[in-house]
Structure formats: C-alpha cells, structure tokens
C-alpha cells in the first residue's frame, strides 16, 4: 500500500511537462541510436551524459532521459536485426535468428509489431517487478555493513564472469583490469599518488566520462572502420503492419515466461540483456514441442528474446538503485552519471531521494507506453534512418565524443587519454575481452576497495570480519556457485561431446 | 592465437611494472590496517594468475572477429584513423574547435569512403553546427583558437 503511495508520487514527478518531454526525446533518440548498426545502449547513454550535464537538467530528469534512451535502444535494436540481419547491439543478436527469416517471408511488418508488443510486455512485467522488489531489497540492504558490501561486490564480479558463457576467464581479466583502472589517482585515505607516474592529468584518477567514451565510442569508431565495405540494403516492409489476435494468442505464454526470466536475469549483476535474450530464446526453443520452426521464422523465437531483453533492461535498474551495484554495462554508465551529481546509489536512496527513485520507476512505465505507441506508426520513418551512411555518422560521433570529454575538465590531456583507452579497448575487443566488464569493474573498483578497507578498519585488520555474518555466508556461497558454474558447464559440454565423436 | 599470446605476455610485463610501482606506495601516517598498496597488489596477483591461465588455454575466438580479418589495408586505415584522432586532440586548443573539427571531419569522412565534395560540406556543416549547439546553446565552452580574433 505504502508502495502505491510512493508510486503515485513518482508519477507526479514523471508527468511534469519537462520530464514528459525528456522521456519523449529520450525514447526517440534511443530508438534511433539503437537501430544504427553498431551502436547500442551503452554508446547512446554515454554520449548523452555530457549533454544532459550541459543542459543543466536536474538529476531525476537526466536519469529519466538516460533510462528512456536505454529502453529506446532495446526497442530500436530489433529493427536493424529484423530488416538487415545486422543486430545493432549484442542483445539483439537473438532477435535476428527468427526475425530476419520472417522479414524475408514478407512478414516484416508483423515481425516488427509483434516484437514491439513483446518489448512492451517485457518492459511492463519488469517495471511491475521493480516496483515490488526494489523497495523490499532496499529495506533489506540497509542492514549491509562494509563487509557485506564487499562480499556483494565480489559476487557481482564473479557473477559477471560466471554468467559470461564461453569465456569466463577473459571476462574475469577484463573486470580485474577495470578494478585496477579505478585505483589510478590519489588514494583518498592516505593521499598517496597511485599509478600516476608523475602525470598531473591522472592525479585525480581517470575520469568516468573519459573511460566510457574511450572504451565505447573510440573503439566503436575503429570497429566501424573495418566494416565500411558493408552496403546491405534493408528489406522492404510490405503488407500487414499489425499482428492479429491469433498471432498474439500464439505467443502469449512465451511473452509472459520470457518477461519473468528477463526480469530476474536483469537483476543479477552483470548478466544483463544479452544473457537474458539468449536464455529466453534457448528455453523457449526447448519447450516448443509442436510445430517448432525456431531459426526459420517462428513468432515465438522472435517474441522471446525481444521480451526478455526489454525486461532485463528494466530489471537491471533494481540492483543499481538498491545496492549501487549495476546490473549491466548501461546501468554502470547511469550509475557513473549519478555520481557526477554527487548522488550515491544504495539502499538509502529510497529514503533520501524518493522523488528520484520513484520518478524513475514511473517514467519507465511512461517511456514504455510512448515507445509502443511511437513504434507502430513511425516504423517506416525509422527504417529510413538505416540508410544513413557511415561517412556522415562516424565524424559526427567522433566530434560529439571529443566535445563530451573536453567539456569535463577543458584539458586536451583527457582527449589523448581517451584515444589511448579507445585503442586499448579496441585491442581487447579484438581478442574477445568484453569491454562492459572493464566498465563494471571500474565502477565497482572504488566502492569495493573503500568497503574492504572500512571493514578491516572496524575489525582492526582481522580478516574474519569478511565471513562473520549470515549475509556474508550467503554472499560467499553465491560466489562459490558462480565460480563452479562455468567449470560445470565446461565439464558437461565435454560429456555431451564425447559420445558424438568417440 | 600467437598474437593473443604475445598480447597476454605484454600484459604480464605491464603487470610486473605496475606491481613494482605499487610496492613503493606507503602511507606517511595511517589510521587503518590496510594501506594504499594492498588492494592494487591483490588485483595484480589475480590478474597475473588469470592471464597465465589464458596463455596456456586461450580458448576460442568469437565469430564476430572471424569475418573481418585484419588485412594490411584495414590496419593502415586504423592507424590513419588513430592519427586523425590524435591530431584532432593536438590541435583542439591550438587551432580552436571550429578549424580543428573542420579538418578532422574531412579526414574522417574521407576515411569512411566519403567523396571529396561531400567531405568538405560535411566538415563545414558539422564544425559550425556543433560549435553553435554546444558553445552557444548548451554552455560547454569550446576554444575558438585562431578564430578568436574575429570577435564572434
């Protein structure tokens, strides 16, 4: 009941003209960014942070903007997957599996509308989930001390690696690199300069915006350069644009299941939308017993990943708001944006900044409705944007990136640092290290070290404080599970492979 | 595979240098049992262990990388792109935003297969539009550089 009151208050915040307009702009920008091949929610949100800051938006408004862009990107990503067979971002890869065959069969319009419907339902289910679970988790998380927080962070990092599928070790290395990058600069406890090597520009650490734009904008520009040869044209959407009742009924249960799966995958730190869409797709494929046409244009195969990735995008707000631990690369960027406003996300946020939290949750509802309303009639306009050539797109991205970085400190040192980080990010990407893990590590690094040192100060250096409460036991058990999971998965794969080739 | 192992070995050397640097971090006076060097050293140790593991068992590469092989041609363009970015950063304050962005946009446009005429037009439009948008409308101060004498 109390929750409903807060939610009402949140709608009050979200429906102010400024915030409504922001949500509308955010969803539009997000859809466009999401559908541009190669650009995903991280790029979109990262590029907008400096702009939101420059506009002087209040914190809740800029958070609404970023959340709307995030949701919009998840919507937009599906358009290029379905019509071009080029996923705009990793979480839309699964959408292309069944979406593109549908478009080739001339059912592009139906595919687009059913996936918009799926995204809407996923977002709705997950937003309801956020409304129910976030306050509960926040209430519970208030009992967290520094030791519990530290264990939580260790869990987030191992979860990231454990859920990473085929490359747990590379994910672990990437997140450790991120943690290490967070150590650069003056150590706030002792005043010692760490890893600055005498450079003044590094004295107060690597700026968050510099790291994000280097990793995701500069490295993306370099990757796009490799792909300039591609000139595939989009399939035309003809015929019926809207799905009918029969089709909606056909995917009803798939949508509901995938929405719930997506939400819970979104809550897990580090799992995020990409994992959620893959898990939903795979489990639906296994469950479909009669007329299974997965991979060949099955509506369920399209609805499942689309529902799940939108649900996960909303779900990942839960750990960000309640624990200050981001659930995905994009929420890591949003968390960084909050710290720019001097707001520390965590359980107390629900008490200290209710208008921010509930305004955000309410605007998730609103953005979702806007997206589904906007996406069905505007689909033809959006498909036009797919034709923007790289020679116009990339210089624009590069210049906005440079302005964003220069705007932080007005030094060219940051520009060079960003280029260096970008080249490093590009190399890591080429060797298949996930960059979002580096970012997550960077965000968690500072808090993790602070909490470890605080915990050990309380216990006067006695390490046993790290496993002295039931919460920490639970945390370590989860960590152990996440370490064992990839090993078990590898073992099972070998077991399956053995009888196949004796 | 060989490039990956070389890269990982290079990383190991970097860790060693950083670890050497980290051992010298000592707080002049301290109120807490954990000093500034414990956490970085712990991370470096974990990194070293996992990197050695990857050198022994590098695992498979993703398919994404398989279809865009790095030919000499592409590599040359990548170097040019990084060079263009660096020059842009170098001249950002010296020439001022408008001029630097104009030249940079032309270079980038050409790199991404734009024609000469379109590149010059794109460069001019973008440099002026972004300057007005950010400096005038959004209050992000951008350096005017050589154009500062024009009194705009």
């Amino acid at each position: 009941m109390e929750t409903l009151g807060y939610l009402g208050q949140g709608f009050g915040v979200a429906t102010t003209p400024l915030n409504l307009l922001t949500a509308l702009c955010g969803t539009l920008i997000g859809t466009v960014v999401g559908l541009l091949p190669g650009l995903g929610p991280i790029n979109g949100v990262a590029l907008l942070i400096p702009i939101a800051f420059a506009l002087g938006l209040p914190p809740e408004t800029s958070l609404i903007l970023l959340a709307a862009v995030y949701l919009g990107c998840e919507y937009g990503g599906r358009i290029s997957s379905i019509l071009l067979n080029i996923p705009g971002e990793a979480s839309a890869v699964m959408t292309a599996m069944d979406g593109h065959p549908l478009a080739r069969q001339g059912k592009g319009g139906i595919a687009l509308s059913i996936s918009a419907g799926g995204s809407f339902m996923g977002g709705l289910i997950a937003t309801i989930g956020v409304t129910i679970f976030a306050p509960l988790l926040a209430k519970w998380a208030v009992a967290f001390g520094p030791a519990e927080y530290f264990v939580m962070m260790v869990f987030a990092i191992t979860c990231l690696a454990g859920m990473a599928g085929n490359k747990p070790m590379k994910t672990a290395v990437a997140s450790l690199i991120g943690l290490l990058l967070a150590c650069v600069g003056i150590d706030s406890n002792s005043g010692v300069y760490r890893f600055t090597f005498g450079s003044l520009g590094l004295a107060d650490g690597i700026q968050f915006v510099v790291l994000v734009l280097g990793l995701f904008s500069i490295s993306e520009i370099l990757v796009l350069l490799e792909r300039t040869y591609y000139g595939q044209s989009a399939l035309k959407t003809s015929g019926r644009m809207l799905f009918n009742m029969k089709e909606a009924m056909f995917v009803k249960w798939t949508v509901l299941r995938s929405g719930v799966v997506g939400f819970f995958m979104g809550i897990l730190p580090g799992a995020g939308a990409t994992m959620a869409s893959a898990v939903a797709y795979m489990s639906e494929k296994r469950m479909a017993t009669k007329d299974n046409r997965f991979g060949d244009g099955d509506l369920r195969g399209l609805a499942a990943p689309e529902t799940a990735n939108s649900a996960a995008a909303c779900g990942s707000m839960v750990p960000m708001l309640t624990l200050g631990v981001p659930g995905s690369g994009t929420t890591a960027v949003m968390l960084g944006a909050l710290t720019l406003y001097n707001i520390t996300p965590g359980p107390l946020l629900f008490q200290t900044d209710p208008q921010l939290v509930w305004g955000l949750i309410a605007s998730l509802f609103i953005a979702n409705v806007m997206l589904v309303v906007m996406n069905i009639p505007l689909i033809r306009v959006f498909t036009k944007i797919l034709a923007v050539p790289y020679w116009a797109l990339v210089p624009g991205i590069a210049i906005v990136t440079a302005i964003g970085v220069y705007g932080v400190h007005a030094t060219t040192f940051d520009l060079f640092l960003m280029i260096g980080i970008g080249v490093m990010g590009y190399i890591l990407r080429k060797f298949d290290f996930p960059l979002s893990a580096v970012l997550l590590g960077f965000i968690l690094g500072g808090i993790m070290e602070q909490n470890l040192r605080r915990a050990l100060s309380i216990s006067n250096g006695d390490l046993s404080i790290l496993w002295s409460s039931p919460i920490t036991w639970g945390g370590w058990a989860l960590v152990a599970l996440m370490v064992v999971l990839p090993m078990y998965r590898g073992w099972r794969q070998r077991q399956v492979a053995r009888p196949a080739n004796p | 595979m060989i490039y990956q192992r070389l890269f990982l070995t290079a990383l190991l050397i970097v860790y060693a240098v950083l670890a050497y640097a980290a051992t010298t971090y000592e707080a002049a006076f301290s109120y807490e049992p954990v000093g500034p060097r414990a956490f970085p050293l712990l991370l470096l140790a974990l990194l070293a262990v996992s990197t050695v593991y990857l050198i022994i068992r590098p695992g498979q590469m993703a398919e994404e990388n398989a279809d865009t092989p790095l030919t000499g041609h592409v590599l040359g363009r990548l170097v040019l792109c990084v060079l263009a970015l660096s020059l842009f950063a170098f001249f950002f304050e010296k020439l001022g935003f408008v001029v630097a962005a104009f030249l940079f946009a032309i270079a980038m446009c050409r790199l991404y297969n734009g024609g000469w005429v379109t590149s010059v037009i794109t460069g001019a439009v973008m440099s002026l539009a972004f300057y007005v948008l950010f400096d005038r409308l959004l209050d992000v101060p951008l350096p005017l550089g050589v154009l500062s004498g024009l009194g705009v």
Side-chain angles (χ1 to χ4, degrees), chain A residues 238-476:
Chain A
S238 54
R240 192 154 52 91
M241 288 308 283
L242 206 64
F243 56 87
N244 59 26
M245 214 51 205
K246 192 166 144 250
E247 282 150 353
M249 283 298 128
F250 183 55
V251 297
K252 175 180 63 178
W253 294 112
T254 300
V255 164
L256 286 178
R257 276 193 300 264
S258 306
V260 174
V261 168
F263 171 67
F264 284 104
M265 294 294 292
I267 290 188
L268 280 182
T274 313
M275 273 305 289
S277 61
V279 168
Y281 184 84
M282 291 306 172
S283 57
E284 283 304 317
K285 189 177 174 181
R286 218 170 296 140
M287 283 171 81
T289 42
K290 62 171 184 186
D291 38 86
N292 181 333
R293 296 196 297 126
F294 275 69
D296 199 32
D298 195 308
L299 280 178
R300 289 169 297 183
L302 172 66
E306 266 312 306
T307 313
N309 72 25
S310 288
C314 294
S316 60
M317 308 273 170
V318 172
M320 177 190 84
L321 289 173
T322 56
L323 299 172
V325 178
S328 65
T330 313
T331 40
V333 180
M334 292 172 67
L335 202 64
L338 274 181
T339 45
L340 286 180
Y341 282 101
N342 268 332
I343 294 170
T344 319
L348 291 177
L349 201 61
F350 277 81
Q351 286 154 33
T352 53
D353 271 305
Q355 81 278 17
L356 180 116
V357 177
W358 290 104
L360 175 68
I361 293 174
S363 68
L364 288 178
F365 277 109
I366 294 172
N368 229 322
V369 175
M370 282 178 175
L371 276 166
V372 79
V373 169
M374 197 163 71
N375 260 276
I376 291 171
L378 285 183
I379 202 76
R380 282 174 211 280
V381 183
F382 286 137
T383 50
K384 289 270 189 316
I385 297 172
L386 283 173
V388 173
Y390 280 174
W391 56 259
L393 180 65
V394 177
I397 296 174
I399 293 173
V400 173
T401 304
I403 295 172
V405 163
Y406 184 81
V408 181
H409 269 173
T411 59
T412 43
F413 174 84
D414 281 348
L415 290 175
F416 285 112
L417 184 61
M418 169 192 77
I419 296 168
I421 291 172
V423 172
M424 187 67 194
Y426 174 75
I427 296 172
L428 283 174
R429 209 163 146 169
K430 276 283 144 197
F431 289 120
D432 213 17
F433 290 85
L435 292 186
S436 56
V438 178
L439 179 69
L440 238 64
F442 180 77
I443 295 282
L444 293 179
I447 334 170
M448 194 168 170
E449 186 183 8
Q450 283 310 315
N451 278 301
L452 175 66
R453 286 164 82 169
R454 221 173 278 156
L456 291 179
S457 295
I458 294 171
S459 71
N460 222 347
D462 186 3
L463 279 172
S464 65
I465 189 170
L466 297 178
W467 48 84
S468 59
S469 76
I471 298 177
T472 53
W473 300 337
W476 286 115

Side-chain angles (χ1 to χ4, degrees), chain A residues 77-86 92-112 114-115 235-237 281 293-306:
Chain A
R78 69 186 218 290
I79 301 176
S80 52
S81 296
I82 292 172
L83 297 182
L84 278 176
N85 204 16
I86 297 173
V93 171
M94 288 293 162
T95 310
M97 307 258 271
D98 277 282
H100 192 63
L102 276 170
R104 260 189 321 220
Q105 292 160 21
K107 296 183 192 157
I110 302 172
L112 285 169
I114 205 124
S115 58
L235 290 171
K236 288 278 175 295
T237 54
Y281 184 84
R293 296 196 297 126
F294 275 69
D296 199 32
D298 195 308
L299 280 178
R300 289 169 297 183
L302 172 66
E306 266 312 306

Side-chain angles (χ1 to χ4, degrees), chain A residues 26 29-30 32-34 36-55 57 62 65-67 69-70 73 208-221 224 329-330 332-334 336-337 340-341 392-408 415 418 439, chain B residues 85 88 104 130 133-134 138 140:
Chain A
I29 296 171
V32 171
V33 171
L36 291 170
L39 295 186
I42 295 193
N43 315 75
V45 172
L47 277 172
L48 274 179
I49 288 181
I51 298 176
F53 219 63
L55 278 169
L57 296 175
S62 63
L65 175 69
L66 299 181
V69 170
Y70 187 12
C73 282
F208 168 74
V209 175
V210 176
L211 184 91
V212 175
L213 290 178
L215 280 183
F216 292 98
S217 208
I218 300 295
S219 83
E220 195 67 56
I221 288 171
L224 288 178
T330 313
V333 180
M334 292 172 67
L340 286 180
Y341 282 101
L393 180 65
V394 177
I397 296 174
I399 293 173
V400 173
T401 304
I403 295 172
V405 163
Y406 184 81
V408 181
L415 290 175
M418 169 192 77
L439 179 69
Chain B
L85 282 163
F88 182 42
F104 172 71
F130 283 131
L133 178 67
F134 282 92
L138 294 176
V140 179

Side-chain angles (χ1 to χ4, degrees), chain A residues 50-51 54-55 150 167 169-170 172-174 176-177 179-180 183 187 189-190 192-197 218 220-229 390-396 398-400 402-404 406-407 410-412 415-416 418-419 423-424 426-433 445 448-449 452-454 456-457 460-461 494, chain B residues 3-4 7-8 11 15 17-19 21-22 25-29 31-37 39-40 42-44 46-47 50-51 53-54 57-62 64-65 67-68 70 74 77-78 81-82 85-86 88-90 92-93 97 101 104-105 108-109 111-114 118 122 126-127 130 134 138-143:
Chain A
I51 298 176
L55 278 169
F150 176 71
K167 44 185 180 188
M169 232 4 171
K170 286 190 171 170
V173 169
L176 284 168
I177 290 176
L179 289 173
L180 194 67
C183 294
D187 171 38
N189 292 30
S190 61
V192 173
Y193 287 79
R194 297 195 294 189
F195 305 122
T196 57
F197 301 103
I218 300 295
E220 195 67 56
I221 288 171
L222 296 176
V223 170
L224 288 178
L225 187 56
E226 288 176 5
R227 298 193 194 145
T228 36
Y229 60 80
Y390 280 174
W391 56 259
L393 180 65
V394 177
I399 293 173
V400 173
I403 295 172
Y406 184 81
T411 59
T412 43
L415 290 175
F416 285 112
M418 169 192 77
I419 296 168
V423 172
M424 187 67 194
Y426 174 75
I427 296 172
L428 283 174
R429 209 163 146 169
K430 276 283 144 197
F431 289 120
D432 213 17
F433 290 85
M448 194 168 170
E449 186 183 8
L452 175 66
R453 286 164 82 169
R454 221 173 278 156
L456 291 179
S457 295
N460 222 347
R494 280 193 293 278
Chain B
Y3 289 114
Q4 188 173 343
F7 171 68
L8 291 167
L11 276 185
Y15 302 155
V17 174
L18 291 178
Y25 300 149
E26 203 123 12
F29 49 88
Y31 311 99
E32 47 163 13
V34 188
R37 69 180 166 196
F39 190 70
L42 174 74
L43 292 177
L44 284 165
L46 285 173
L47 269 171
S50 31
T51 307
Y53 175 91
L54 280 178
R57 295 181 62 181
Q60 284 145 350
M61 297 292 271
E64 183 196 351
N65 294 335
D67 58 38
T68 50
L70 273 183
V74 174
R77 289 177 136 217
L78 287 172
C81 182
V82 173
L85 282 163
S86 310
F88 182 42
F90 183 75
F92 200 86
E93 277 176 344
F97 173 78
F104 172 71
M108 290 296 275
C109 237
L111 262 180
Y112 288 82
N113 298 336
T118 41
T122 315
M126 276 190 184
S127 53
F130 283 131
F134 282 92
L138 294 176
D139 282 327
V140 179
L142 293 172

